[in-house]
Amino acid sequence: MKRIEAIRCVVEELSDELVVCNIGYPSRELYSVGDRDENFYMLGSMGLASSIGLGLALSTRKRVVVFDGDGSLLMNLGSLVTIANRSPSNLTLIVLDNESYSTTGGQPSYTAGKTSLARIAKAAGIDNVLEARSPGELKRAFNESKGKTSVIIAKVEKGNADVPIIPLSPYKIKKRFMEAVKSGHAASTSN
Amino acid sequence: MSILSQVILSSLVKAGVNFAVSVPDTLFAEVLEKLEDVGIIHVPVTREEEGVGVAAGAYLGGKRPVILMQNSGLGNCMNALLSLNKTFGIPLLMLISQRGGRREKVVAQIPMGKATIPLLKAACIPFYVSESLQQLSEHVVEAANHAWRDEIPVAVIVRRELVEEDRGY
Ligand SMILES: [Mg+2]
């Protein structure tokens, strides 16, 4: 499955979830598949998508979905340890693993070698670790992991979709995202 | 509990801080232990850069976060402070315990001790250096308000010399 297909099949399942997306082409692909106020597109700070997702999940009742990459997660493996030990049940971390750094020219990452991010996540202490290789498997994994701290390793093809850059300022991305968090929060705390 | 710890905890509460991330430090040891007791969610992290990310997420979720760390950790999170906090306008109160000062015995702490303030200046991160415990408690509140008003990271440098002053406060 292409990465943009993986993103699309998750987006099709979304309602009011908050989404944090890794920098580079994944954010551009998410924007083109389905921009929404509840999407936070990272523009820098490579590696921190899962950490931003953790802080957010600990601060809201809504479900938080993170699209991370293999290279980015390898840059911040400690994040899996903190996630496992805090384990907010509303956090789903989806790693779009294309075994490469595709935004910077396709250099191989170590998940192309001996390393399994699924095994690392389990060893870090995350109970619900799922793997998906097709849109069907990914959708199932995404829906099954609702309500429990989860890591889904979605194996995707190398390469980027031909999508334009995101025409939003960083400040705008933040502002509308925070409005979306707030507006939804009243509804989610009242039921 | 030391007066330094009491001053830090009460000023964090006064500043409206309700979420903390930390990397261990001896100067902050008591504070880290008591954060949850004063109603501040506390998430120990594995590295300072990770903490900046967690704190940013908490802010997006409506919290007022602080990071507690040593100045050695500033180098570990500089890119995140600039490409995440400064880029998006995400505030962060930073309490930085200053190693590498006059009485420092660990030689490896000295270069970063000397570089801490030049680094903050180069990154255009406002900072407060407290000369007394009284001033520290004012600075924490001021720095927090500064961070929230301008939507930027703002640092308070907590000098080790304040520990000695602690006895006579
Ligand atoms: Mg990759």
Side-chain angles (χ1 to χ4, degrees):
Chain A
M1 113 181 105
K2 288 189 163 60
R3 183 178 56 207
I4 196 166
E5 291 170 338
I7 292 171
R8 185 179 291 117
C9 84
V10 172
V11 166
E12 283 167 1
E13 302 299 300
L14 296 176
S15 50
D16 67 341
E17 292 86 346
L18 302 171
V19 176
V20 177
C21 190
N22 191 25
I23 55 165
Y25 271 97
S27 269
R28 291 162 63 167
E29 291 176 3
L30 173 62
Y31 180 85
S32 77
V33 162
D35 181 41
R36 44 208 278 288
D37 290 356
E38 293 87 352
N39 291 357
F40 184 79
Y41 305 104
M42 280 172 64
L43 300 167
S45 63
M46 182 169 170
L48 296 189
S50 62
S51 302
I52 295 169
L54 173 62
L56 189 58
L58 293 169
S59 307
T60 176
R61 293 184 186 196
K62 289 178 128 178
R63 186 177 184 187
V64 175
V65 179
V66 178
F67 286 115
D68 210 344
D70 49 308
S72 293
L73 187 56
L74 287 171
M75 210 176 248
N76 184 18
L77 285 175
S79 181
L80 290 173
V81 175
T82 312
I83 290 169
N85 285 278
R86 298 303 298 215
S87 59
S89 62
N90 57 342
L91 179 61
T92 304
L93 172 60
I94 300 171
V95 184
L96 301 162
D97 181 3
N98 59 6
E99 303 182 350
S100 64
Y101 297 87
S102 66
T103 297
T104 52
Q107 299 86 350
S109 84
Y110 282 126
T111 64
K114 293 189 169 185
T115 302
S116 156
L117 285 170
R119 290 210 304 275
I120 290 176
K122 281 178 201 155
I126 293 165
D127 295 325
N128 199 52
V129 179
L130 301 158
E131 290 178 87
R133 293 182 174 273
S134 67
E137 283 178 19
L138 179 53
K139 263 191 192 186
R140 208 172 317 125
F142 181 73
N143 290 321
E144 270 173 25
S145 57
K146 190 173 183 182
K148 39 194 169 184
T149 318
S150 307
V151 173
I152 301 171
I153 309 294
K155 285 285 185 180
V156 296
E157 292 166 30
K158 293 177 176 47
N160 310 308
D162 184 18
V163 288
I165 58 165
I166 298 169
L168 300 170
S169 73
Y171 198 74
K172 170 86 178 169
I173 293 170
K174 179 196 87 162
K175 274 288 169 202
R176 63 176 208 162
F177 183 80
M178 290 183 73
E179 287 303 316
V181 173
K182 252 188 272 172
S183 67
H185 202 258
S188 68
T189 49
S190 67
N191 52 28
Chain B
M1 189 167 35
S2 75
I3 298 173
L4 175 73
S5 302
Q6 289 172 36
V7 164
I8 292 174
L9 284 167
S10 63
S11 55
L12 285 175
V13 170
K14 198 170 165 198
V17 169
N18 52 13
F19 193 101
V21 298
S22 73
V23 177
D25 172 58
T26 47
L27 195 64
F28 292 148
E30 275 186 335
V31 173
L32 301 183
E33 224 172 90
K34 301 285 181 203
L35 282 165
E36 299 263 350
D37 294 350
V38 297
I40 297 174
I41 297 170
H42 177 210
V43 183
V45 291
T46 62
R47 188 178 161 88
E48 293 80 0
E49 187 184 36
E50 183 202 353
V52 171
V54 174
Y59 168 75
L60 295 174
K63 295 280 192 258
R64 277 172 76 104
V66 64
I67 185 167
L68 297 112
M69 64 182 187
Q70 290 189 358
N71 57 334
S72 53
L74 183 63
N76 285 351
C77 64
M78 202 51 112
N79 178 58
L81 292 171
L82 299 178
S83 72
L84 180 59
N85 296 77
K86 282 248 182 175
T87 299
F88 286 93
I90 294 177
L92 178 63
L93 174 63
M94 306 165 72
L95 285 198
I96 302 177
S97 102
Q98 173 77 328
R99 299 208 50 178
R102 285 200 304 280
R103 292 183 186 81
E104 180 62 56
K105 292 190 180 71
V106 180
V107 67
Q109 295 285 355
I110 291 170
M112 195 58 177
K114 288 187 175 150
T116 301
I117 285 172
L119 275 173
L120 290 168
K121 283 183 179 162
C124 298
I125 294 173
F127 59 92
Y128 296 74
V129 183
S130 312
E131 299 297 332
S132 68
L133 290 172
Q134 175 64 41
Q135 206 182 27
L136 174 63
S137 85
E138 291 159 10
H139 280 168
V140 170
V141 177
E142 265 176 57
N145 290 337
H146 189 165
W148 264 262
R149 187 187 63 231
D150 292 359
E151 301 175 296
I152 50 168
V154 177
V156 177
I157 309 286
V158 185
R159 292 158 59 248
R160 301 237 145 196
E161 286 78 0
L162 292 178
V163 181
E164 279 96 51
E165 195 209 330
D166 199 340
R167 294 176 198 119
Y169 181 71

